[in-house]
Amino acid sequence: MDDASQNSTVWTYHYFAVVMTILDWALSIKWWGLFLLLCATFSLAVPDYLVDKRFKKALISLPLVFLLMCLNFFRLKGANKEFIHTKHSNS
């Protein structure tokens, strides 16, 4: 399984877990269980020599990075409708 399909699988399970928690918490238990099982499976697949302080710090910072990415996405507003010109110096 390549990285893109692993990433899409993780986010799909997480998306369904969050949506089902909002809609019906009893049905969300299955999705949260699948998400935790998938995370446990991926964590067992990582060799011990690759897990160090930097790796753990990166995993812990992922929720914050995701939240900041979402907030930044909503701050873009009309950036896709106007061109942001780059100023060049004439030297």
Side-chain angles (χ1 to χ4, degrees):
M1 199 183 273
D2 62 346
D3 290 339
S5 63
Q6 287 177 353
N7 195 15
S8 65
T9 304
V10 170
W11 289 115
T12 302
Y13 284 156
H14 188 258
Y15 171 76
F16 279 116
V18 170
V19 168
M20 291 308 292
T21 301
I22 293 169
L23 295 178
D24 186 7
W25 69 271
L27 293 176
S28 72
I29 295 171
K30 173 185 74 172
W31 290 107
W32 282 111
L34 283 172
F35 178 67
L36 292 175
L37 184 67
L38 186 68
C39 289
T41 304
F42 285 157
S43 66
L44 289 174
V46 177
D48 288 339
Y49 70 90
L50 291 177
V51 178
D52 57 357
K53 287 184 180 182
R54 285 182 47 206
F55 182 77
K56 290 178 184 177
K57 186 177 178 182
L59 280 181
I60 291 171
S61 68
L62 278 178
L64 177 64
V65 170
F66 181 74
L67 177 68
L68 292 175
M69 180 189 67
C70 289
L71 291 175
N72 201 18
F73 178 72
F74 292 118
R75 286 182 41 208
L76 290 175
K77 295 180 185 170
N80 62 344
K81 295 178 183 163
E82 67 181 53
F83 182 74
I84 303 171
H85 295 281
T86 304
K87 296 181 181 180
H88 298 281
S89 62
N90 295 331
S91 53

